Amino acid sequence: MSDQEKALINPKPGVCVPWELKLEELGDFPGNEEIVKKEWEKLDDFAYNFIWFWVQR
Amino acid sequence: MNDKETLYQQRLNRYITAMDCGKPDMVPVAFGIGEWVVKYKGTTFQEIFYDLDKSNSIVSEMLPGLDFDIFKGGPCLWWPPMFDAMGSKLYKFPGIGVDENSTFQYNEEEYMKPDDYDEFTASPTEWLVNHFLPNISTELANPGSYRSTIALIKGAAAFAMSGSITAAAYEKWTKEHGIVGQGTGFTKAPFDTLGDALRGMKGILLDLRRRPEKVLAACEAITPHNVNCGLAGAGADTRFPCFAPLHRGAYPFLNPRQWETFYWPSLKATIEGLWAKGKRMLFYAEGDWTPYLEKIAELPERSIIFQIDTTDARKAKEVLGGRFCLQGGVPTTLLTYGTPEKIREQVKRSIDELGRDGGFILDSGGVIMGDAKQENLITMIEAAREFGVY
């Protein structure tokens, strides 16, 4: 596998940027993680559908 | 429950009973107010494609005079402003690329090159974002630039806007006219995802000879995404099938050995993945699938609705009937070149042959084209009501 391929995150179906990755970047999380995660994943799913729309022609 | 809600329930029960291979009170009828309507409304293809409000108002105007059960959609398949915003190379639309009274044309190219296979297969969604979208969109030619960022904002906004306008229109038609939408979710055979939009016909056919293992690996990587696309999101509706227009699997694009090796395994896995989540597929078998009926019969019972376009209808009934709901019965060419008398005879024959035991939805064989005659279409649904009572 090339270095470029190793750098890929290969998100699962319905995901563009996994919440777990975002959570790591956010660091300490003083509030309710579930509230933020739920809305993050909704928008992530919208972006995913937008991307795949273009190829499912 | 008001009259329209009662009507909706009757039509819904008819549809669901047929999908489950049962015999409802009458043969359900599927119908779309497609491009054929344009020439009867004193407008142009361009106006219908670009102006969603105008397009939806024509549907609202037509619905009260039409008695059918399952609505397949309005006249514009795509909303060109979204494609314009991205500078999309994928289509020529009426009035911008082709004449204002022509339908759209697909610009088939190798938007994915042979060298891209490994990176695509390693992470399909990332490859689409990093390479495919810039390849198909002139506005994204310089990722990170002002024009590129604006195009993405506008494209995503257009995607949300068109979805919301369409959802509101369906809600209105359901409430005011008691119609039932045909499906929710959109997907394809993985081989078609690869062969239609990414590699193109020439590319995919060469790949079968030159890099067959890469084709198989790519189809395998696409499969879970196509299951997800068909589901239309976690927790979404499973009462209605997802729509899957099937292209290169029609005979004789591929020979039977190629079909069994390259086309069928990932399509079967997609259908089984959907069915495991309770989601059925409208197996929109465009063209002739007669040589493959026995393989299709191996799918889980009731996991698809099989659309009969130019597939041998009697053979489809013999091999698939009772296991899967069949949909079709009126050849698309007959709707253009036939007469009301011929349509009436065809509807009666199809209901007698395909619908006698239930598990049948009367419909045009394929997509009704812009040159279909309104009198033939009206006759189709009237004859279905006349001959379709069990």
Side-chain angles (χ1 to χ4, degrees):
Chain A
M1 188 181 278
S2 67
D3 288 345
Q4 191 180 20
E5 285 170 48
K6 281 180 197 161
L8 298 171
I9 54 175
N10 191 17
K12 291 187 296 189
V15 175
C16 295
V17 179
W19 169 250
E20 295 70 27
L21 184 64
K22 184 66 185 170
L23 189 60
E24 271 179 35
E25 291 165 7
L26 287 170
D28 286 346
F29 206 99
N32 184 331
E33 183 193 324
E34 280 307 309
I35 293 172
V36 183
K37 176 176 185 267
K38 187 175 148 201
E39 301 308 318
W40 175 272
E41 289 182 340
K42 268 192 223 166
L43 281 173
D44 209 54
D45 185 57
F46 173 86
Y48 174 89
N49 284 315
F50 177 67
I51 294 158
W52 279 82
F53 166 86
W54 295 97
V55 78
Q56 300 290 32
R57 304 297 90 226
Chain B
M1 196 179 280
N2 66 33
D3 288 353
K4 297 304 175 194
E5 286 167 346
T6 304
L7 188 61
Y8 176 83
Q9 278 306 324
Q10 284 172 347
R11 289 168 166 171
L12 179 65
N13 291 341
R14 215 168 272 154
Y15 185 22
I16 288 176
T17 303
M19 278 197 285
D20 287 337
C21 295
K23 195 188 272 191
D25 59 334
M26 60 178 78
V27 171
V29 181
F31 193 70
I33 299 176
E35 292 181 357
W36 60 268
V37 81
V38 175
K39 62 183 176 295
Y40 298 102
K41 292 294 171 189
T43 181
T44 63
F45 273 68
Q46 182 177 10
E47 191 172 25
I48 291 297
F49 268 73
Y50 270 81
D51 186 343
L52 282 181
D53 291 335
K54 170 102 181 176
S55 171
N56 290 339
S57 73
I58 285 176
V59 173
S60 298
E61 195 183 306
M62 296 288 293
L63 283 175
L66 303 170
D67 180 19
F68 62 87
D69 302 292
I70 303 157
F71 186 52
K72 293 163 59 187
C76 51
L77 197 52
W78 318 118
W79 190 42
M82 179 168 72
F83 292 77
D84 296 343
M86 298 279 280
S88 174
K89 303 172 189 171
L90 292 182
Y91 295 103
K92 289 180 179 173
F93 285 110
I96 179 165
V98 292
D99 184 82
E100 64 177 354
N101 272 314
S102 291
T103 189
F104 64 90
Q105 286 287 313
Y106 180 58
N107 294 318
E108 186 165 294
E109 296 286 342
E110 287 188 24
Y111 296 112
M112 172 177 149
K113 301 296 180 194
D115 288 347
D116 294 326
Y117 262 105
D118 289 345
E119 194 179 334
F120 170 78
T121 300
S123 184
T125 304
E126 283 177 285
W127 188 86
L128 294 176
V129 171
N130 293 335
H131 304 288
F132 181 66
L133 289 182
N135 287 351
I136 62 165
S137 315
T138 58
E139 293 288 335
L140 305 188
N142 297 305
S145 67
Y146 175 76
R147 289 284 292 259
S148 172
T149 304
I150 292 295
L152 276 173
I153 293 167
K154 286 164 68 178
F159 187 62
M161 282 165 64
S162 64
S164 152
I165 290 169
T166 304
Y170 267 81
E171 192 180 344
K172 174 183 155 72
W173 297 328
T174 299
K175 280 185 183 157
E176 295 180 5
H177 306 290
I179 62 135
V180 179
Q182 168 105 66
T184 53
F186 183 101
T187 193
K188 294 178 77 165
F191 186 91
D192 283 335
T193 304
L194 187 63
D196 286 352
L198 295 170
R199 296 288 294 128
M201 174 66 104
K202 184 181 165 193
I204 194 77
L205 291 180
L206 285 173
D207 293 344
L208 296 185
R209 301 275 179 190
R210 294 179 182 173
R211 47 195 75 82
E213 72 293 344
K214 292 196 187 294
V215 173
L216 289 172
C219 286
E220 194 179 331
I222 292 168
T223 299
H225 292 281
N226 282 12
V227 171
N228 186 76
C229 290
L231 287 169
D237 160 82
T238 53
R239 285 180 306 169
F240 302 109
C242 62
F243 180 61
L246 302 171
H247 298 153
R248 319 287 194 205
Y251 184 81
F253 276 126
L254 304 176
N255 67 42
R257 187 190 60 78
Q258 289 170 326
W259 190 89
E260 286 198 25
T261 306
F262 296 103
Y263 195 87
W264 183 236
S266 52
L267 173 57
K268 185 166 183 271
T270 302
I271 293 167
E272 288 171 342
L274 286 163
W275 192 237
K277 302 273 189 186
K279 186 78 172 176
R280 205 178 322 238
M281 174 189 281
L282 173 53
F283 192 107
Y284 206 77
E286 297 186 271
D288 180 8
W289 292 63
T290 312
Y292 309 125
L293 291 171
E294 277 80 9
K295 294 301 290 183
I296 294 166
E298 293 171 8
L299 289 168
E301 207 166 311
R302 299 178 189 180
S303 59
I304 59 165
I305 298 173
F306 183 84
Q307 181 82 27
I308 301 169
D309 183 9
T310 59
T311 297
D312 182 325
R314 284 185 192 170
K315 188 84 189 290
K317 172 70 178 173
E318 181 191 319
V319 178
L320 304 179
R323 287 184 61 77
F324 308 101
C325 177
L326 304 175
Q327 180 164 323
V330 184
T332 311
T333 46
L334 196 62
L335 293 166
T336 296
Y337 300 111
T339 60
E341 293 71 32
K342 293 284 181 198
I343 300 288
R344 214 166 159 272
E345 286 167 18
Q346 179 65 45
V347 169
K348 183 174 187 317
R349 188 161 50 245
S350 289
I351 288 176
D352 288 346
E353 289 177 1
L354 302 172
R356 60 182 179 273
D357 312 315
F360 175 61
I361 296 167
L362 188 105
D363 184 19
S364 58
V367 175
I368 301 172
M369 305 307 286
D371 54 4
K373 293 177 193 151
Q374 183 165 274
E375 64 265 32
N376 288 345
L377 293 158
I378 303 293
T379 300
M380 179 177 84
I381 53 181
E382 287 177 352
R385 288 305 194 220
E386 181 183 348
F387 300 117
V389 178
Y390 284 113

